[in-house]
Amino acid sequence: MIFGPKGMWRYVPLQTPRILHRAATPSYTPPGRQHPGQPEGPLRLLSSAPILTHKESIMEVCIFFLHVIILLPGITASGHQVKSFFNHTAYLSCYFTNSQKTDIKDLRIFWQKGIAEVVHEVYYGQEKHDNLSPKYINRTKMDMNKWTLQLLNAGIVDEGQYTCIIQHRDKESPKVIHKSECSLSIIANYSQPEITQLPTGELKPKENLNLSCSSSGGYPEPRQMIWLISYENTTNRHIHHMDISQDAVTKLYNVTSKLNITVPTNVLTNISCLLHLREELGSLVSAPLVIEIQREETEQGKVNFFGPLIAVIILITLLLGFVILKNRNISSTSQSVSLPV
């Protein structure tokens, strides 16, 4: 199916999907693809549709992919999962073995995302940029030795399903000889979670302790953030609400979780937060926040204990001194009375 002159859909026979070719030349040349210097020769129009404009040419490429996907079910399509780091190069393989050792000049290679965006095109050995989606211009390279497409500076918006289709030049029309699909997923590393005290200042026993744990610049969205509170030989897990925000440009996530507890006393306490990521990405843990205020209380307890003790000792000393002094006075008086006149 193609667009008619008035934008209406009409059918074109499958054997001749709107192809122009030269009557005297068996090679296939699509509309608007005549090479400079090549003699025009007599053309035979296999359908009565008009010559396409640039926008219609892009539509033709999209319709071509629909034609391959819908009307050629016999061509094998295999799905593969591809992962790439954010702002790195993603490698999308066409998984084409080229067992026939076909010359690249006899092949036409398309890469497309979904059914509407043309990512890359190699037209019989030459790269073509006329039909590319604007966001992929100057961002793709094709390694013909490995049949792999290199997508530079891969971002979150590049995630999705990609299709590689290879046509072979035929006497009448190009023949699809290979089709494969791959799904691209982007990964961005989150920063190490960091705990901050709100507000900052000296901790006092039995007061409220407000903590916040944050991590930023990651993708995909994490599963959850868990608070770990450890003292002596016990660790308690606390799951609180996790606030999630996404950057409007990069699409990266920032996450924050808050904890409100009473300041622990008389025990050494470690508080940390654990960020659980998706799938096989694992987890990230913060540096622990250590709380130890029993030492101050112990020292205060020592002061409270030794104060009365010292007072008692001083009192006893004074009493002993008073008794000794009194005894000496009595002895002196007795001696003076017993002396002869």
Side-chain angles (χ1 to χ4, degrees):
M1 288 187 294
I2 64 170
F3 280 110
K6 296 183 180 180
M8 300 296 293
W9 287 96
R10 62 188 179 85
Y11 286 92
V12 177
L14 179 60
Q15 294 79 5
T16 58
R18 206 184 167 286
I19 299 171
L20 283 172
H21 71 79
R22 228 169 286 282
T25 307
S27 61
Y28 164 67
T29 305
R33 296 294 180 85
Q34 286 77 18
H35 298 287
Q38 183 180 8
E40 294 296 328
L43 291 177
R44 179 160 54 92
L45 183 62
L46 298 184
S47 80
S48 59
I51 296 177
L52 298 178
T53 63
H54 176 69
K55 292 183 178 179
E56 292 173 329
S57 178
I58 296 177
M59 179 64 71
E60 180 199 20
V61 174
C62 296
I63 294 173
F64 159 76
F65 277 94
L66 287 173
H67 170 80
V68 171
I69 295 171
I70 299 175
L71 301 179
L72 296 178
I75 302 298
T76 302
S78 54
H80 304 273
Q81 297 292 327
V82 178
K83 296 183 183 295
S84 177
F85 283 104
F86 181 76
N87 271 346
H88 285 61
T89 299
Y91 296 89
L92 309 178
S93 177
C94 201
Y95 297 95
F96 180 58
T97 59
N98 194 19
S99 57
Q100 302 298 323
K101 306 299 180 184
T102 306
D103 192 335
I104 185 63
K105 294 181 180 180
D106 293 326
L107 297 177
R108 186 181 179 188
I109 302 139
F110 280 96
W111 275 96
Q112 180 160 331
K113 181 184 178 184
I115 60 173
E117 294 182 291
V118 179
V119 179
H120 197 84
E121 179 183 2
V122 179
Y123 185 78
Y124 301 127
Q126 299 294 325
E127 291 189 348
K128 293 289 183 179
H129 305 284
D130 300 342
N131 300 317
L132 298 188
S133 175
K135 69 179 182 180
Y136 292 110
I137 295 176
N138 297 326
R139 289 187 57 214
T140 57
K141 296 180 181 179
M142 187 71 183
D143 185 347
M144 301 308 301
N145 293 324
K146 299 180 180 179
W147 301 94
T148 299
L149 178 70
Q150 301 177 19
L151 178 58
L152 309 180
N153 300 319
I156 308 303
V157 295
D158 295 318
E159 282 193 319
Q161 195 79 13
Y162 290 79
T163 304
C164 171
I165 297 176
I166 299 179
Q167 288 180 311
H168 180 256
R169 191 197 302 267
D170 204 347
K171 292 182 179 180
E172 295 183 358
S173 63
K175 179 182 178 182
V176 177
I177 61 173
H178 179 78
K179 174 175 175 278
S180 64
E181 296 177 350
C182 63
S183 179
L184 175 63
S185 300
I186 302 298
I187 301 171
N189 291 326
Y190 283 87
S191 63
Q192 182 182 12
E194 183 178 358
I195 296 178
T196 56
Q197 179 184 337
L198 303 172
T200 59
E202 182 180 357
L203 296 178
K204 296 181 180 180
K206 298 183 179 180
E207 286 188 345
N208 286 333
L209 176 60
N210 297 317
L211 300 177
S212 174
C213 183
S214 302
S215 180
S216 59
Y219 191 89
E221 182 179 325
R223 289 190 298 169
Q224 63 182 359
M225 185 175 281
I226 300 176
W227 289 91
L228 304 176
I229 303 178
S230 302
Y231 53 91
E232 296 179 346
N233 296 323
T234 303
T235 299
N236 294 326
R237 299 162 61 92
H238 298 264
I239 301 177
H240 290 257
H241 174 72
M242 181 174 62
D243 295 321
I244 302 175
S245 62
Q246 189 174 27
D247 188 276
V249 177
T250 64
K251 305 301 181 183
L252 299 178
Y253 288 106
N254 303 318
V255 296
T256 302
S257 180
K258 295 181 180 180
L259 177 69
N260 188 344
I261 61 173
T262 302
V263 174
T265 57
N266 298 326
V267 63
L268 177 65
T269 304
N270 290 327
I271 300 178
S272 57
C273 62
L274 183 67
L275 181 63
H276 280 301
L277 306 177
R278 294 286 177 180
E279 300 173 352
E280 73 280 1
L281 299 179
S283 302
L284 295 173
V285 64
S286 69
L289 173 67
V290 181
I291 300 176
E292 185 179 11
I293 57 178
Q294 78 277 8
R295 180 178 301 174
E296 296 179 0
E297 290 190 345
T298 302
E299 291 177 354
Q300 184 65 33
K302 290 180 180 179
V303 173
N304 294 336
F305 173 76
F306 284 111
L309 180 62
I310 293 173
V312 171
I313 293 174
I314 292 174
L315 180 60
I316 293 174
T317 303
L318 292 175
L319 290 173
L320 288 175
F322 177 77
V323 172
I324 293 172
L325 182 60
K326 186 176 181 180
N327 289 336
R328 284 182 179 180
N329 292 334
I330 294 173
S331 299
S332 299
T333 303
S334 300
Q335 289 179 0
S336 61
V337 171
S338 62
L339 290 177
V341 178

